[in-house]
């Protein structure tokens, strides 16, 4: 965007990179610790200042991220780059504290069936685990974010009522959690469900910071981001190259792609602080690491004003 005509600074939008957690956790092979750390370092060098870098879930449950502690130790930590990690219970919280994370992300599904499948617990039991995490974190300089999985639909139960989301958000609020992440775990969000949930939460908990975490499973991830932007939401979670989803499940695509999101935000007049070209470089590196093509589109087409040598482009007929 040409800033020549606008005196006001561009509104800032925070982009949280979740690829090394949300994406790598479902890769079929273990990615070496040093490679993971190098990708996080490269993302930070590209200007990313918030990352959900790994997960302190049981190494037996998610062997791909069993190296959470080592990975964070290898990173080039810097004061202005905020490192979060997923934390399922008190044990995970203690490990995360030991690794010096800036933020612990707790998660509960708004769907009872998904929560049982994913966490092997009832929603009530999972909220009990969040309380344990909050107790461990208490007195330490660490933030807690409450994620709500299946906030916009559940593959087992279908439509997820806003009241089911509010029940979790209310519980988070009672525990002093003041930042949320609304997760569209299987890509079921559509513009009306996004605005319904955001408006309902705002009305009940005006002080809550809301981040939106969309998956692009049905191709409307960025449309949902636009709805969030219109509502004034200024925090989004995405993965480099669109990493994520299970490679064995056709159609189970990953998160909204970070470069595509940054491209949209910057071209819409928002300031992400992220260098798009550098980000595209990281996405290409990640493709080499995982050995397959990623769904990101801007990494293939390049920035909007990328120019071609007229003579070098072959003419297509029709
Ligand atoms: Zn996700």
């Amino acid at each position: 965007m040409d800033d020549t005509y606008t005196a006001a600074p561009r509104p800032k939008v925070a982009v949280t990179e979740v690829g090394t957690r949300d994406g790598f956790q479902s890769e079929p092979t273990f990615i070496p610790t040093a490679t993971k750390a190098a990708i996080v370092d490269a993302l930070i060098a590209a200007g990313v200042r918030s990352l959900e870098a790994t997960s302190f879930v049981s190494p037996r449950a998610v062997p791909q991220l069993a190296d959470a502690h080592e990975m964070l130790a290898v990173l080039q930590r810097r004061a202005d780059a905020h490192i979060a990690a997923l934390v399922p219970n008190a044990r995970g919280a203690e490990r995360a504290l030991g690794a010096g994370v800036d933020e612990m992300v707790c998660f509960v599904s708004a769907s009872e069936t998904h929560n049982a499948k994913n966490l092997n617990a009832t929603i009530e039991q999972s909220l009990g685990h969040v309380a344990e995490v909050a107790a461990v974190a208490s007195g330490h300089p660490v933030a807690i974010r409450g994620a709500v999985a299946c906030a916009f639909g559940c593959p087992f139960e279908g439509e997820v009522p806003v009241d089911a989301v509010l029940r979790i958000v209310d519980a988070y609020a009672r525990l002093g959690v003041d930042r949320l992440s609304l997760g569209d775990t299987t890509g079921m969000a559509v513009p009306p469900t996004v605005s319904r949930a955001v408006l309902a939460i705002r009305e009940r908990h005006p002080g809550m910071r809301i981040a939106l975490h969309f998956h692009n499973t049905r191709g409307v991830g960025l449309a949902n981001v636009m709805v969030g932007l219109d509502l004034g939401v200024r925090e989004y979670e995405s993965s480099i190259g669109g990493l994520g989803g299970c490679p064995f499940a056709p159609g189970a695509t990953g998160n909204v792609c970070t470069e595509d999101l940054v491209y949209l935000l910057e071209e819409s007049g928002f300031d992400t602080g992220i260098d798009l070209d550098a980000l595209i470089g990281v996405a290409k590196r990640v493709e080499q690491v995982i050995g397959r093509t990623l769904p990101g589109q801007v990494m293939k087409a390049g920035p909007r004003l990328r120019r071609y040598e007229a003579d070098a482009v072959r003419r297509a007929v029709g």
Side-chain angles (χ1 to χ4, degrees):
M1 184 176 172
D2 187 347
D3 282 67
T4 324
Y5 306 104
T6 52
R10 297 183 300 152
K12 286 197 189 314
V13 171
V15 172
T16 296
E17 171 61 43
V18 300
T20 55
R21 197 282 297 168
D22 204 333
F24 284 173
Q25 72 178 10
S26 46
E27 280 303 309
T29 53
F30 181 83
I31 293 160
T33 308
T35 308
K36 287 176 183 140
I39 290 166
V40 171
D41 285 338
L43 287 161
I44 292 172
V48 177
R49 288 293 172 267
S50 172
L51 300 101
E52 189 179 297
T54 187
S55 170
F56 287 90
V57 295
S58 151
R60 270 193 316 275
V62 185
Q64 291 91 335
L65 303 181
D67 60 348
H69 188 102
E70 295 82 345
M71 201 267 260
L72 296 186
V74 177
L75 285 189
Q76 291 164 27
R77 297 290 294 271
R78 40 186 285 177
D80 64 346
H82 184 89
I83 301 289
L86 208 64
V87 163
N89 49 33
R91 168 98 188 89
E94 275 153 16
R95 290 173 59 212
L97 265 190
V101 301
D102 300 306
E103 181 180 289
M104 300 186 191
V105 181
C106 298
F107 51 100
V108 180
S109 180
S111 146
E112 200 68 75
T113 314
H114 181 265
N115 204 70
K117 291 258 179 207
N118 193 34
L119 300 175
N120 200 20
T122 64
I123 288 177
E124 215 45 52
Q125 287 167 334
S126 291
L127 288 171
H129 294 149
V130 176
E132 290 169 18
V133 170
V136 171
S138 168
H140 295 275
V142 64
I144 299 182
R145 185 179 294 273
V148 184
C150 290
F152 306 100
C154 166
F156 311 111
E157 295 186 8
E159 219 61 88
V160 167
V162 171
D163 280 347
V165 177
L166 287 174
R167 174 190 167 198
I168 316 274
V169 177
D170 290 349
Y172 280 141
R174 280 196 297 274
L175 292 167
V177 174
D178 62 355
R179 40 179 96 179
L180 289 178
S181 163
L182 300 183
D184 183 22
T185 313
T186 57
M188 293 172 71
V190 285
T193 57
V194 174
S195 51
R196 216 176 297 150
V198 169
L199 292 172
I201 292 168
R202 269 227 195 106
E203 192 184 325
R204 188 117 121 212
H205 300 283
M208 273 283 184
R209 269 172 59 180
I210 300 175
L212 295 173
H213 175 122
F214 295 123
H215 281 231
N216 202 33
T217 318
R218 292 175 174 81
V220 291
L222 289 182
N224 291 329
V225 168
M226 288 305 286
V227 174
L229 289 170
D230 279 347
L231 293 166
V233 176
R234 295 290 180 260
E235 292 182 57
Y236 297 89
E237 298 175 358
S238 58
S239 71
I240 186 79
L243 201 59
C246 176
F248 303 116
T253 51
N255 295 75
V256 159
C257 166
T258 306
E259 319 84 75
D260 295 3
L261 173 65
V262 166
Y263 170 79
L264 173 73
L265 291 169
E266 292 285 333
E267 292 290 344
S268 304
F270 294 96
D271 176 13
T272 63
I274 300 172
D275 179 326
L276 184 60
D277 287 318
L279 209 52
I280 290 171
V282 183
K284 290 184 171 161
R285 192 159 154 193
V286 172
E287 274 192 336
Q288 286 171 351
V289 167
I290 63 167
R292 61 171 197 283
T293 308
L294 283 167
Q297 289 179 279
V298 171
M299 67 183 287
K300 300 181 184 91
R304 191 166 67 92
L305 296 180
R306 166 169 153 182
R307 298 219 241 166
Y308 297 86
E309 282 289 328
D311 292 340
V313 179
R314 245 190 328 144
R315 250 184 105 176
V317 179

